[in-house]
Amino acid sequence: MDILSIIFIGIIGLVFGSFMNVLIMRVPKNISIVKPSSFCPQCMEDIAWKDNIPVISYILLKGRCRHCKKTIPIMYPMTEILTALLFVVIYLKFGLTLLFFKYVIFIFLVLTVSLTDIYTSADENFETGMIPTVYIALGILAGLIFGLIEGFFAYYLAGIAAGYLILFFPAYLYSKIRHKEGMGEGDFMFFAMIGAFTGLGSIAAVLTFAAFFGIVAGIIVIIITKDKNYPIPFAPMLGVSAIIYVFFEELLNSYNWSSFIIN
Ligand SMILES: [Zn+2]
């Protein structure tokens, strides 16, 4: 594993992160991801290729659109850098193996879904956060194909069912008791997709972490907004937890998480 291959994986990660920005901005609004080519969402001017190089263009343009001089959201370079970092960490952990390709696809989908949910939750054009079904379908399919290759198809199939049901039942009870929705179908589907990649054994640990992050995020949001009913999207909590799980799987499996949840 030499430095050149690490840099190469990092650049691939930046390019995928740039593509992810396009997906996050366009898919929820049903805009084609190929046409038109990149444009500034504020002045609608086309962005030339030289102004569209991941991270570098942002720095050269000092974070402003060349035409209208309005600020380019910092989320664009941040998403690119985050994707690149995670790709490199997966490469360092797994080398150029089957698991590398599996987890690169996994991380890409998890980040795309989590960020889409966050941005649509914050966007007043959307009533709630949105999780496009196309990512879930692709993810479940990819997860099962890798499961088939690994020879543990049933284990991942069970992961899909467990991920879905473990959120469905408490959400169903909550909606019956409180007469409002706590979590949505998108969250159940997303957890099912995570289960397709990480398998049945991951569900309890991922849920424990997600619940913990949810509580921490909830407390922070209440302190900042002073609004106890401010909606917090749950998918990003699941996403962060799933990524942590992939990186620390061996460590986590040495502890029996299911007993922690049931007790
Ligand atoms: Zn502009």
Side-chain angles (χ1 to χ4, degrees), residues 40 43 65 68:
C40 167
C43 66
C65 169
C68 65

Side-chain angles (χ1 to χ4, degrees), residues 7-153:
I7 292 172
F8 179 72
I9 298 287
I11 292 173
I12 300 281
L14 287 177
V15 172
F16 272 84
S18 182
F19 177 56
M20 192 186 297
N21 281 325
V22 174
L23 293 178
I24 294 166
M25 286 302 133
R26 295 191 181 189
V27 170
K29 293 176 182 156
N30 279 321
I31 307 173
S32 158
I33 55 170
V34 281
K35 264 187 179 179
S37 56
S38 296
F39 58 91
C40 167
Q42 302 181 91
C43 66
M44 301 294 169
E45 278 288 337
D46 287 343
I47 298 171
W49 67 269
K50 65 173 164 59
D51 291 339
N52 209 9
I53 304 163
V55 184
I56 293 170
S57 294
Y58 183 86
I59 296 168
L60 290 179
L61 290 166
K62 300 192 181 74
R64 285 175 189 282
C65 169
R66 185 181 290 279
H67 306 284
C68 65
K69 307 285 178 221
K70 288 205 175 113
T71 337
I72 303 167
I74 186 89
M75 72 148 274
Y76 289 102
M78 296 287 276
T79 304
E80 289 157 358
I81 292 170
L82 181 63
T83 310
L85 280 179
L86 288 172
F87 276 27
V88 166
V89 175
I90 296 170
Y91 178 61
L92 293 175
K93 183 167 160 74
F94 298 103
L96 216 52
T97 57
L98 182 74
L99 283 181
F100 170 80
F101 292 100
K102 173 177 171 169
Y103 288 127
V104 155
I105 294 172
F106 177 61
I107 298 257
F108 184 82
L109 287 170
V110 164
L111 279 183
T112 309
V113 169
S114 301
L115 292 172
T116 302
D117 195 27
I118 291 175
Y119 289 112
T120 49
S121 298
D123 187 336
E124 51 208 27
N125 294 316
F126 296 89
E127 223 168 89
T128 58
M130 181 186 177
I131 295 175
T133 322
V134 56
Y135 303 132
I136 306 298
L138 284 174
I140 287 180
L141 184 68
L144 286 179
I145 290 172
F146 281 107
L148 209 58
I149 300 170
E150 287 171 36
F152 296 106
F153 187 77

